[in-house]
Amino acid sequence: MTTMATPTQSTPDTAPAYNPKSESIGAKRAKSAIFHAVALILTAIVLYPGLWMIASSFKPNSEIGGQNTSLWSNNFSFDNFVTAMDGIGGVSTLQFFTNSLILALGAVIGTILSASVSAYAFARINFPGRSLFFGMMIATLLLPFHVVIIPQYIIFQQLGLVDTYVPLLIGKFLAGDAFFVFLMVQFMRGLPAELDEAARIDGAGHARIFGSIMLPLMKPALISTSIFSFIWSWNDFLGPLLYLNTPEKYPLPLALRLFVDQTQSSDYGAMIAMSVLALLPVLVFFLIFQRYIVEGVSTQGLKG
């Protein structure tokens, strides 16, 4: 009996199946790589001036600017910091730091006190003309500071307050910074009105509600205001330039100008070294309190 061999049927080679998921993963990785590369480049561009300033503070004056394009110097030295700490114009650097600290802390205290009280009035108290006054306050944000420079200077000069810190601080204690008032008003409007109603039922007045309820819940807004107020006052140059005439009262921004002499050689190395030192308090202040900026009211006191 003969058996017939059945021919084996060969299976054709099958191509790998198309997987759209793997392609999407590869596209996402490529986009992520491009995004991080661009972010690193932009970060390097933004940080380069600060890196150059730190590196130049350790260079001699002959290597700062001019044809020298190298970032680091072989003549590494702390001489610029020694010169900067010795002071200039017969005034020590410690005095300049003290003056800046007085102005910055005074600005923080004045802004916190005046802006928080004004914000509570706009956000929680119904009085005639509240919307009108609030709109007028917001309108001052559109008014350039340079428009009121001359009238303000004339007023302070006639009052005999030029060459004092009063013109630089009095506006902070009178809620002169409309931006911070607006910031706190918006924050208070986000707090539940039931808190005020419950406090009034218990017999609390506006002073008790503000001090015992609002202020503890406003911690993120208060910290944010403190940070920005401190930095703006610490870096302010135009205000002290207008109202201060005595070098012993100069803050750091004006003290830096003393190192640049148009008639003689300027000590740019010491000026840059003092600039680096002037950045340290602002950096420390920001690093300590920056986490409060992003904290919401839900983490402050509304938990049961």
Side-chain angles (χ1 to χ4, degrees), residues 9-254:
Q9 185 177 3
S10 61
T11 57
D13 296 335
T14 58
Y18 173 72
N19 188 358
K21 184 176 181 181
S22 62
E23 182 178 352
S24 63
I25 294 176
K28 288 182 180 179
R29 290 179 178 176
K31 291 180 181 179
S32 177
I34 295 175
F35 172 78
H36 285 86
V38 173
L40 289 175
I41 293 174
L42 294 177
T43 302
I45 294 175
V46 172
L47 295 180
Y48 180 79
L51 183 61
W52 179 90
M53 182 180 66
I54 295 175
S56 298
S57 64
F58 298 100
K59 294 181 180 179
N61 282 325
S62 58
E63 297 185 12
I64 298 177
Q67 301 297 325
N68 186 11
T69 59
S70 62
L71 184 62
W72 302 104
S73 173
N74 295 327
N75 300 320
F76 186 88
S77 175
F78 289 95
D79 293 340
N80 292 330
F81 289 94
V82 174
T83 304
M85 292 304 298
D86 289 338
I88 191 172
V91 184
S92 65
T93 302
L94 182 59
Q95 182 65 43
F96 295 136
F97 269 90
T98 303
N99 296 338
S100 290
L101 194 62
I102 292 174
L103 291 174
L105 293 181
V108 170
I109 295 173
T111 302
I112 290 296
L113 293 177
S114 61
S116 60
V117 173
S118 301
Y120 178 80
F122 283 124
R124 296 303 204 195
I125 301 178
N126 292 319
F127 58 90
R130 182 179 68 168
S131 300
L132 176 62
F133 287 117
F134 185 72
M136 293 174 60
M137 183 203 69
I138 297 300
T140 60
L141 294 173
L142 306 176
L143 187 66
F145 173 72
H146 307 82
V147 175
V148 297
I149 285 179
I150 296 178
Q152 284 184 354
Y153 185 86
I154 294 175
I155 293 174
F156 288 124
Q157 186 182 40
Q158 292 177 350
L159 294 176
L161 297 177
V162 175
D163 201 25
T164 66
Y165 292 153
V166 175
L168 302 174
L169 294 177
I170 189 172
K172 312 297 182 182
F173 287 87
L174 297 177
D177 291 325
F179 171 76
F180 296 124
V181 179
F182 175 75
L183 175 68
M184 294 188 184
V185 167
Q186 296 303 109
F187 190 90
M188 284 189 184
R189 287 176 176 175
L191 299 177
E194 290 78 6
L195 295 174
D196 299 24
E197 297 173 359
R200 291 193 187 95
I201 293 175
D202 292 338
H206 288 297
R208 182 67 180 274
I209 295 174
F210 175 73
S212 300
I213 298 178
M214 289 299 165
L215 283 183
L217 296 177
M218 288 177 58
K219 191 175 181 181
L222 296 176
I223 295 297
S224 300
T225 299
S226 300
I227 291 175
F228 288 115
S229 180
F230 183 91
I231 294 175
W232 291 353
S233 178
W234 186 273
N235 295 329
D236 185 23
F237 177 81
L238 182 59
L241 179 64
L242 290 174
Y243 294 109
L244 299 180
N245 302 322
T246 307
E248 287 78 9
K249 299 178 182 179
Y250 282 179
L252 281 171
L254 284 186

